Amino acid sequence: AQKVTQAQTEISVVEKEDVTLDCVYETRDTTYYLFWYKQPPSGELVFLIRRNSFDEQNEISGRYSWNFQKSTSSFNFTITASQVVDSAVYFCALSDGYNFNKFYFGSGTKLNVKP
Amino acid sequence: SAVISQKPSRDICQRGTSLTIQCQVDSQVTMMFWYRQQPGQSLTLIATANQGSEATYESGFVIDKFPISRPNLTFSTLTVSNMSPEDSSIYLCSVRHSSYEQYFGPGTRLTVT
């Protein structure tokens, strides 16, 4: 069965600190996709990144970076030099390998960035 | 990406009534999805809506409680029927992008009293 675990319920950091959000997934599929979404207080989910199971290259986009390791079934998200605007709930998600339409979301990590 | 709008953005409803939520997309999409996010919780898929066919419901969700319409490729509605306080949630629609990610609407915040 597919499952996504985000063990960190809530994290608080001070602005300019680096922070890593953990995501561990379970699947028996060989082909699957992993995603990160941001949900600011306004409530709308914002797509951040997609990674397929065959691409283990790490990705960097500005202050954001993602570390995908199949060996540990992890897809962690790091924010460098955090800012107050990064405060949000972040969700990691996994798509079903047979039905890519079905998403399995983790429970989310609430990030509080204090000035 | 797709631009998705939902109506209403929020509502307060009385127990036993029904609310219909609309989802409009700015481009034609084959599949639309409806999710529920209970307070402080993650997202749970309610159903997948294809144009021209019956919606496919996930375990724990039934058509009588959450009827869905999909009259064309840019529009869908979700009705929450015979509401109870347990239905208080954010309801989100989403569409699948060609590259597998899903894009979400702003959500409808429903409070049932």
Side-chain angles (χ1 to χ4, degrees), chain A residues 26-98:
Chain A
E26 296 176 29
T27 180
R28 293 179 182 174
D29 301 327
T30 55
T31 302
Y32 52 89
Y33 287 84
L34 294 163
F35 308 85
W36 276 96
Y37 285 85
K38 174 182 180 180
Q39 188 176 42
S42 59
E44 186 167 355
L45 266 83
V46 178
F47 166 72
L48 296 177
I49 190 172
R50 176 193 80 252
R51 176 64 77 222
N52 74 53
S53 53
F54 299 107
D55 181 3
E56 286 193 74
Q57 280 193 334
N58 292 332
E59 180 149 345
I60 299 174
S61 176
R63 296 183 297 106
Y64 295 171
S65 62
W66 291 269
N67 184 302
F68 176 31
Q69 292 194 339
K70 290 179 75 172
S71 61
T72 56
S73 297
S74 64
F75 186 42
N76 296 337
F77 174 29
T78 297
I79 302 174
T80 302
S82 59
Q83 300 176 1
V84 173
V85 293
D86 295 326
S87 296
V89 180
Y90 291 86
F91 290 97
C92 180
L94 166 72
S95 70
D96 190 291
Y98 292 97

